[in-house]
C-alpha cells in the first residue's frame, strides 16, 4: 500500500496475529534435527539487535553467519508477551524464543509448500528449504570517506 517499513511491518504483524498460523517444522543443523510447532521462523544474515531502541538493526554485516530465530509461543497472548519482553531487552534469554547461529541449515516440513517472505514479498516454496551463507561472496565498492 506504499507504506514505509515500520507501518508495513506493524500491519503485517497485526494480520499475522489475527490468523496466528502454526507450522510443524524440523530444523536440521550440523547433523541433528529439532522439531518445532511455530507461528514464526526468521532467518537473517548476521545477528539482529532485539533491544528497544535498536530493534531490527544489525551492527555488523560481514560476520558471515546466519542467525535463526524460532518463536515457540503457542498462543497469541504468549507471543505478545514475548514481543514485549524482547523489546524491553529480555529476548536473548527468553524461553519462548530459540536462537541459533550457523553457516547452513535445512527447514523440513510435511507440507507441500511453505509461505516464505523474501524482502517483504511472500512466495510459496517447496520444502526442504536449504539456507547457506557464503561469507565475503559479495564485493562492495564504495567511495573513499573523508578523513
Amino acid at each position: 500500500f506504499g507504506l514505509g517499513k515500520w507501518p508495513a511491518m506493524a500491519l503485517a504483524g497485526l494480520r499475522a496475529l489475527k490468523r496466528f498460523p502454526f507450522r510443524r517444522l524440523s530444523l536440521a543443523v550440523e547433523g541433528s534435527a529439532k522439531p518445532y510447532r511455530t507461528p514464526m521462523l526468521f532467518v537473517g544474515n548476521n545477528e539482529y539487535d532485539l533491544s528497544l531502541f535498536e530493534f531490527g538493526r544489525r551492527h555488523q554485516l560481514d560476520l558471515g553467519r546466519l542467525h535463526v530465530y524460532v518463536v515457540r509461543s503457542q498462543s497469541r497472548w504468549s507471543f505478545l508477551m514475548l514481543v514485549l519482553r524482547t523489546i524491553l531487552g529480555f529476548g536473548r534469554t527468553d524461553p519462548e524464543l530459540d536462537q541459533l547461529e550457523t553457516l547452513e541449515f535445512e527447514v523440513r516440513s510435511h507440507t507441500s509448500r511453505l509461505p516464505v517472505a523474501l524482502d517483504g514479498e511472500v512466495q510459496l516454496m517447496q520444502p526442504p528449504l536449504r539456507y547457506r551463507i557464503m561469507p565475503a561472496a559479495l564485493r562492495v565498492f564504495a567511495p573513499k570517506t573523508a578523513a
Side-chain angles (χ1 to χ4, degrees):
F1 300 114
L3 301 173
K5 176 182 177 180
W6 291 106
M9 282 180 30
L11 180 60
L14 289 173
R15 285 183 177 166
L17 194 59
K18 181 180 175 184
R19 291 185 343 180
F20 207 65
F22 284 94
R23 306 276 183 232
R24 290 191 184 277
L25 306 172
S26 176
L27 268 60
V29 181
E30 298 175 4
S32 93
K34 183 172 183 179
Y36 286 98
R37 181 178 181 266
T38 180
M40 188 181 89
L41 176 137
F42 178 84
V43 181
N45 182 6
N46 297 296
E47 185 175 16
Y48 280 74
D49 197 320
L50 301 178
S51 61
L52 177 59
F53 297 109
E54 298 291 317
F55 189 81
R57 290 192 177 195
R58 293 175 288 175
H59 297 284
Q60 283 189 273
L61 298 175
D62 59 353
L63 293 177
R65 306 289 286 177
L66 291 173
H67 283 258
V68 184
Y69 305 86
V70 185
V71 173
R72 297 173 59 92
S73 302
Q74 298 297 300
S75 70
R76 287 178 182 88
W77 177 251
S78 65
F79 179 74
L80 288 172
M81 293 308 295
L82 167 65
V83 169
L84 179 62
R85 288 189 304 269
T86 300
I87 288 173
L88 293 174
F90 301 107
R92 294 237 172 272
T93 59
D94 200 298
E96 295 283 318
L97 183 66
D98 278 2
Q99 302 174 55
L100 64 103
E101 178 182 324
T102 186
L103 293 174
E104 62 184 274
F105 74 102
E106 185 174 276
V107 177
R108 300 174 185 158
S109 175
H110 292 294
T111 61
S112 62
R113 296 181 303 172
L114 289 171
V116 177
L118 304 167
D119 288 333
E121 299 294 326
V122 177
Q123 295 182 11
L124 292 174
M125 301 183 87
Q126 186 176 357
L129 306 176
R130 293 179 185 93
Y131 292 83
R132 179 175 59 126
I133 195 161
M134 298 173 65
L138 178 64
R139 179 175 287 168
V140 177
F141 294 94
K144 290 184 180 180
T145 59

